[in-house]
Amino acid sequence: METRELTVVAGSFVGFQLLFSVASPRLSSSITPGYRRLPPPKLTEWNSRLVSTVHALIVGFFCLYILWFDDAVNANPVWGDPNLVKLNVAITCGYLIYDLVLLACNWKTMGDSFFVCHHLAALYAYGYVLTRGVLPYFANFRLISELSTPFVNQRWFFEALKYPRSHRMVVSNGVAMAVVFFLVRIAVMPSYWASVFATFGTPEFERLGLGAQVAWITSCIALDVLNTIWMYKIARGCYKVITGRGGAKVKDAEEKKSSVNNHTD
């Protein structure tokens, strides 16, 4: 890994930590009066999800820019010029490390094995991008999934502030969340895997070596399984809200289960 990438990873880790501990409490308390009335565990998760939203917007729109304008990456998805992708991946790795530390420090209230599996699988795969500069197109394609994260976090914000599930903004956000989550995480699976299979047997694929090949394929399978599970939970919750079947008991049960991830691919 080059000095630039290490600097970006370390800088993003520190930056997200400062956003969590300093900027988020001040910004949230000034914009949302209900923030001050939340219990300490909720405050911790609120700040965590605000950081998650900021990260998602940064890397999500950066991904779209690379997809639309970085001809080198799009021309050679396995060995194209990875400079912009490595920068974006380094930001994400810094965020993932920050979030793993946060989860470890608040495991009783925020810990979830799905989150840890998601983060470790992503770090494992992105490590090859940073150290060897391989698979830039596929790494960038994966990060586009972050565009669904702000809607997932906004749903939690509404619940924390005790907005009724029938509220127009809650319903609108829930529908938007389900649609965007499906588009950027589920609907793209066929085209993504078609691109993956198209590289099999090519000289570029053979140059990767067994280690990178295994890291790439296994991490993608793990992430897609997790995304499918989360899509099922989101769709089920969206259906209950739209049909008016999500009562208070359902809401309490879902809060205890903490059903949906707020993190990155």
Side-chain angles (χ1 to χ4, degrees), residues 62-74:
F62 200 3
C63 282
L64 292 178
Y65 172 82
I66 294 171
L67 184 65
W68 291 334
F69 300 109
D70 195 330
D71 295 332
V73 168
N74 294 319

Side-chain angles (χ1 to χ4, degrees), residues 76-145:
N76 188 341
V78 180
W79 291 98
D81 181 5
N83 282 330
L84 288 180
V85 174
K86 288 172 72 174
L87 178 61
N88 212 17
V89 168
I91 294 172
T92 293
C93 287
Y95 168 77
L96 291 173
I97 296 170
Y98 140 81
D99 206 44
L100 282 173
V101 172
L102 181 66
L103 288 172
C105 294
N106 299 274
W107 186 258
K108 289 185 177 180
T109 57
M110 295 178 60
D112 191 301
S113 58
F114 273 148
F115 293 6
V116 175
C117 290
H118 173 276
H119 285 22
L120 293 179
L123 284 171
Y124 179 51
Y126 291 149
Y128 278 92
V129 180
L130 293 180
T131 57
R132 295 183 56 190
V134 298
L135 304 168
Y137 173 84
F138 297 101
N140 184 67
F141 201 102
R142 277 289 171 185
L143 284 174
I144 294 175
S145 64

Side-chain angles (χ1 to χ4, degrees), residues 188-231:
V188 297
M189 285 184 187
S191 62
Y192 178 84
W193 283 104
S195 299
V196 172
F197 294 144
T199 67
F200 288 0
T202 63
E204 288 81 4
F205 182 80
E206 298 302 326
R207 281 178 58 197
L208 288 174
L210 182 61
Q213 292 168 359
V214 172
W216 176 25
I217 301 303
T218 56
S219 62
C220 286
I221 292 173
L223 291 172
D224 281 344
V225 169
L226 291 173
N227 283 329
T228 301
I229 294 172
W230 290 323
M231 183 71 252

Side-chain angles (χ1 to χ4, degrees), residues 139-188:
N140 184 67
F141 201 102
R142 277 289 171 185
L143 284 174
I144 294 175
S145 64
E146 281 303 301
L147 291 173
S148 66
T149 299
F151 298 97
V152 176
N153 290 334
Q154 187 59 49
R155 186 193 69 163
W156 187 91
F157 292 143
F158 283 140
E159 289 187 354
L161 295 174
K162 301 187 183 304
Y163 275 64
R165 284 199 159 194
S166 58
H167 195 285
R168 183 175 60 181
M169 289 194 299
V170 177
V171 174
S172 298
N173 179 76
V175 174
M177 177 183 68
V179 171
V180 174
F181 195 99
F182 175 79
L183 290 176
V184 301
R185 295 183 185 241
I186 305 300
V188 297

Side-chain angles (χ1 to χ4, degrees), residues 38-51:
L38 296 174
K42 290 273 189 178
L43 289 175
T44 299
E45 187 162 2
W46 178 292
N47 296 329
S48 170
R49 287 180 180 269
L50 190 145
V51 174

